[in-house]
Amino acid sequence: MNKYFSTKVSIFVFAFPALLLFTLFCVYPLLPEIWMSLHKHDGFRNLGFVGLNNYKEVILSSSFWTAHKNTYLIVAISLLLGLPLSMMLSLFMDAQTPKFRRFFKTVAMFPAILSVTVVSQIWLAFYEPNWGLFNAILNSLGLSSWTHSWLTEKKTVMPSIGLTFLWQYIGLNAMLFYTGIKTIPKSYYEAALIDGANFIQVSLRITIPLLQNVIKYVLILSTLGSMAFYSHVRVMTAGGPGDQSRTVIYQMYYTAFDTSEFGKGTAIAVIFILECLLISFFIQRFVARDKLEF
Amino acid sequence: MSLKSKSEAYKNPFGLPSSWDWLNFSEALSKYHFYTYFENSVIYTTGTIVITLLTGSMLAYCLSRMQWRFNSAMLLYVSMGLIVPIEVVVIPLFQLVKWMHIKNSYLGLILPYSGFAIASCVLMLYAFLRSLPNELEEAACIDGANVYQTYIKIIFPIVMPALVTQCVLIFIRIWNEFPLAFIIASKDQLRPLTVGLLGFFVNVGVADWGLIGASMLLSSLPMIIVYLIGNEKIENALTAGAILK
C-alpha cells in the first residue's frame, strides 16, 4: 500500500521543496565559507588565493584569543552556574502547589520571551554608572568602594554581560527541566516516600538521574547557544572597551563587515564550526550514553 | 519607567513615577516607526511559519510513509541542521541572498529562516507521523484518493496539533531573532522590531529613558500577549522539543 503512493513523481514533489530550502540555506553556505576563507576577499571581489594565510593571521592576532576567552567564559557561566541554578529552580517549581507553580512558571519564562534588544537595554539601565540600579544599591549599603562602571571596565564587562545572558535563559532551561520532571512516573516517588526519603534525597537519587536525557538536551542546547553568543554584546557594548567584550562570533562579524576582510572573517567561522562540531560530538559521545526507558 | 518624563527618569529611575506621563507612548509611536517594524516582524514570522510547516511536513510525510532508498540517509542529513548555529554562516548567507537579488525583499530573511527551521520541524513531525497507524491511508486509498488528496485531506488535519506546536516554537525563535536580521535587513523599511528598536535607541541616545521605556514596552507587548494566551501550548512545545533528542 505504501508502494502505491511511492511513485518517483510523488516522492520528488514531497521531498524536493524542503530539501532544496535546507540545502541551499543551511548546508550550501558552508562551501563558499570554506572557499572564501582561502582567499583574500573584500565582500565584493575576490583578490586572489592565499591558501591558509587567513587562518595563520587570524590565529596570530590577539583579538582572536580575547574573543575565545570571552566566549568560553560565557559557556562556563551558563554551564557551571546556569544549569545547576535552573535545575534548582525546576525542583523548586515542582514542589509548589499548582497555583504557585503557575505563577512561577510564568515568571520564569518571562525574560526568555523578551527580545535580546529589550533585555539588554533593561540591563544597560541597571549597569549605568551614575544612577544605575547596581551602583545605587551599593551606595545605599555604604559600599561605595565596590561600585564600578560595569560595562566600560575591562575586568567587569564580560561577567556583567554574562549575568544578563544568565538571567534571560535560566527560566527557560528550568522549564525544560520541569517538563522533563513531569514525565517521570509517580510510582518512583511513592516508593521513595515509603522508604522515608527526604526532598533532597529524592531529588539527587531519583529526579536528576532519571532526567539525564533532558539534561543532555539542555546541555547541548545551552553549550551551542552560548557559543554563538553575539546579540547581547552587540547591543550592550558593541564589543568595547577596545576588543575586550568581543566574542568569537562578534569578532567574525567585525572582521567581515566592519573591516571588510571577508576572507579572514570566514576563516574564523570555519575554525568555529569545527569547534562546535567537536564539542557536540564529545557531549553526544560521553554524556548520558544509554537511553533510559520507563 | 515608560510613564516618566525625561527629567524624572533621571532623578528617580526605579521608583514609581510621581506624575503619570502618557506622552511617552504617543511620542514613541510617532518617532519610532513602530507600525512598520511591527508589520515587518509579522510578515517575517508568518512567512517563515507557512513555508516551513508546508515544506517540512511534506518532507516528513515522505520520509515516514513513502518507500524510498534514501529515507534514513535523508533523515540523518536533515538532522545535521540542528548542530550548525545560524550565526556562523551569516557571511556566506549574506552573499547568497545578495546574489539571488532578494536582499531588499522580505524573502531575503524568510527563506534563510525557513531553511534553518526545517530541521527541527521535520524531525518532530517524522516522530509524530511514525506513531500514526497505516490504516488511515489504506482506507483513503481504497476510496480512490491519490497521494496528494490523501495528504491534504487525511494527513494534514491529523498532524495539526504537532503543527501548532511547531508554529509556537518558530514564532518564539523568529520574532526575537537578531543577528541575521541585523545584517540582512539593512534597509529601515525592512527591519523587524528587534533590529528597529536598536536603531531607535541609538538615535534617541541614553538621555531619554522615558521614551526608551515606552518603546520597549510597546515592542514587547505582542510577544507577552501571545505568551499569556499560548502559555499551555508553549509548555507543550518545550516538552516536544526535549523528547526530540
Side-chain angles (χ1 to χ4, degrees):
Chain A
M1 135 65 225
N2 276 338
K3 274 232 166 79
Y4 168 77
F5 282 150
S6 314
T7 60
K8 283 211 166 92
V9 177
S10 64
I11 289 178
F12 180 80
V13 169
F14 276 89
F16 185 70
L19 286 178
L20 177 73
L21 270 175
F22 177 71
T23 310
L24 191 61
F25 292 102
C26 200
V27 182
Y28 163 78
L30 297 171
L31 299 176
E33 188 137 83
I34 294 171
W35 180 85
M36 256 170 122
S37 71
L38 300 171
H39 292 76
K40 194 166 166 58
H41 203 293
D42 68 358
F44 299 100
R45 288 156 302 152
N46 169 23
L47 304 170
F49 182 77
V50 291
L52 293 175
N53 232 359
N54 283 328
Y55 288 90
K56 208 177 104 192
E57 279 183 42
V58 160
I59 290 176
L60 290 178
S61 76
S62 68
S63 289
F64 179 77
W65 296 107
T66 316
H68 265 82
K69 201 185 75 197
N70 288 338
T71 303
Y72 286 103
L73 177 74
I74 297 293
V75 173
I77 289 178
S78 66
L79 297 191
L80 301 179
L81 268 173
L83 290 193
L85 281 175
S86 23
M87 179 55 91
M88 276 149 70
L89 187 60
S90 69
L91 291 172
F92 170 77
M93 285 198 296
D94 189 46
Q96 301 303 311
T97 59
K99 206 174 129 198
F100 277 110
R101 191 181 302 146
R102 228 184 124 70
F103 169 75
F104 283 116
K105 282 199 295 203
T106 311
V107 173
M109 276 295 285
F110 197 70
I113 60 162
L114 293 179
S115 87
V116 170
T117 326
V118 169
V119 169
S120 304
Q121 199 70 26
I122 294 172
W123 282 71
L124 273 178
F126 288 172
Y127 287 131
E128 217 286 333
N130 297 316
W131 48 267
L133 185 67
F134 290 135
N135 281 353
I137 291 176
L138 287 173
N139 279 329
S140 66
L141 290 174
L143 296 168
S144 304
S145 57
W146 288 17
T147 59
H148 284 281
S149 171
W150 301 98
L151 293 173
T152 53
E153 282 173 28
K154 207 172 148 179
K155 261 193 185 154
T156 54
V157 60
M158 249 3 244
S160 304
I161 300 177
L163 189 65
T164 310
F165 181 62
L166 199 65
W167 178 79
Q168 191 172 8
Y169 292 114
I170 241 179
L172 181 68
N173 286 341
M175 282 297 289
L176 288 171
F177 285 139
Y178 174 73
T179 52
I181 291 177
K182 269 199 321 195
T183 64
I184 298 175
K186 288 280 162 288
S187 53
Y188 288 96
Y189 291 100
E190 281 154 15
L193 217 62
I194 292 169
D195 290 342
N198 63 26
F199 178 69
I200 294 172
Q201 283 170 324
V202 170
S203 302
L204 288 180
R205 297 273 164 81
I206 296 177
T207 313
I208 293 177
L210 288 179
L211 270 184
Q212 51 168 294
N213 281 334
V214 181
I215 293 178
K216 182 177 169 183
Y217 171 72
V218 176
L219 189 68
I220 294 181
L221 207 69
S222 40
T223 312
L224 291 179
S226 41
M227 287 192 66
F229 190 70
Y230 161 79
S231 313
H232 295 78
V233 176
R234 182 73 198 72
V235 181
M236 291 179 79
T237 63
D243 63 0
Q244 288 306 315
S245 66
R246 287 187 203 158
T247 57
V248 178
I249 299 285
Y250 195 95
Q251 182 67 16
M252 179 194 95
Y253 277 72
Y254 179 82
T255 318
F257 294 102
D258 295 351
T259 65
S260 288
E261 297 192 82
F262 278 68
K264 279 198 212 165
T266 44
I268 298 175
V270 172
I271 298 175
F272 197 62
I273 292 171
L274 292 179
E275 287 173 46
C276 288
L277 289 178
L278 204 67
I279 287 176
S280 46
F281 171 77
F282 272 110
I283 297 177
Q284 293 280 11
R285 184 88 175 68
F286 295 112
V287 181
R289 288 176 62 192
D290 356 283
K291 271 220 181 300
L292 283 172
E293 303 284 345
F294 43 76
Chain B
M1 185 90 128
S2 49
L3 295 171
K4 292 175 196 164
S5 65
K6 196 168 168 176
S7 58
E8 203 204 334
Y10 247 113
K11 276 180 237 145
N12 170 24
F14 295 102
L16 286 171
S18 56
S19 65
W20 291 46
D21 188 355
W22 290 98
L23 263 179
N24 280 325
F25 282 100
S26 52
E27 203 184 336
L29 279 179
S30 61
K31 271 197 190 168
Y32 157 55
H33 312 292
F34 179 77
Y35 299 114
T36 319
Y37 298 145
F38 181 77
E39 202 189 310
N40 290 341
S41 279
V42 171
I43 293 175
Y44 290 132
T45 336
T46 8
T48 310
I49 287 174
V50 169
I51 293 182
T52 313
L53 293 190
L54 195 69
T55 60
S57 65
M58 278 160 65
L59 180 59
Y61 177 69
C62 174
L63 291 179
S64 66
R65 287 300 162 94
M66 294 181 177
Q67 283 174 0
W68 189 24
R69 209 168 352 141
F70 303 110
N71 267 350
S72 51
M74 277 302 148
L75 201 62
L76 194 71
Y77 173 68
V78 171
S79 63
M80 272 176 13
L82 295 175
I83 305 175
V84 181
I86 198 167
E87 285 88 349
V88 293
V89 289
V90 159
I91 299 170
L93 266 180
F94 174 75
Q95 303 276 348
L96 180 69
V97 165
K98 230 167 53 177
W99 178 77
M100 290 172 76
H101 297 288
I102 51 172
K103 185 168 175 286
N104 289 319
S105 76
Y106 291 114
L107 283 180
L109 273 177
I110 292 178
L111 292 181
Y113 282 161
S114 310
F116 271 84
I118 275 174
S120 71
C121 176
V122 168
L123 290 177
M124 189 182 140
L125 291 177
Y126 176 80
F128 190 86
L129 282 167
R130 267 279 146 118
S131 66
L132 293 178
N134 266 328
E135 282 80 13
L136 289 165
E137 293 150 282
E138 275 163 27
C141 177
I142 290 165
D143 287 348
N146 65 26
V147 60
Y148 310 103
Q149 288 167 329
T150 313
Y151 173 72
I152 294 169
K153 296 208 177 120
I154 315 277
I155 302 298
F156 216 72
I158 297 177
V159 292
M160 215 28 115
L163 290 180
V164 173
T165 308
Q166 270 300 317
C167 195
V168 174
L169 284 180
I170 299 173
F171 179 82
I172 299 181
R173 219 168 102 181
I174 304 302
W175 188 269
N176 287 333
E177 204 277 341
F178 181 85
L180 199 62
F182 184 67
I183 296 293
I184 289 181
S186 51
K187 269 201 175 160
D188 199 41
Q189 303 99 298
L190 287 174
R191 287 183 187 157
L193 273 173
T194 39
V195 179
L197 199 59
L198 178 65
F200 178 70
F201 291 153
V202 174
N203 280 342
V204 171
V206 283
D208 207 339
W209 272 97
L211 199 56
I212 287 180
S215 56
M216 288 202 298
L217 199 63
L218 280 174
S219 342
S220 310
L221 222 50
M223 194 69 207
I224 294 172
I225 293 171
V226 167
Y227 176 65
L228 291 180
I229 296 171
N231 218 322
E232 219 75 333
K233 277 271 176 298
I234 292 177
E235 203 180 311
N236 293 339
L238 291 178
T239 327
I243 44 174
L244 192 78
K245 278 272 165 168

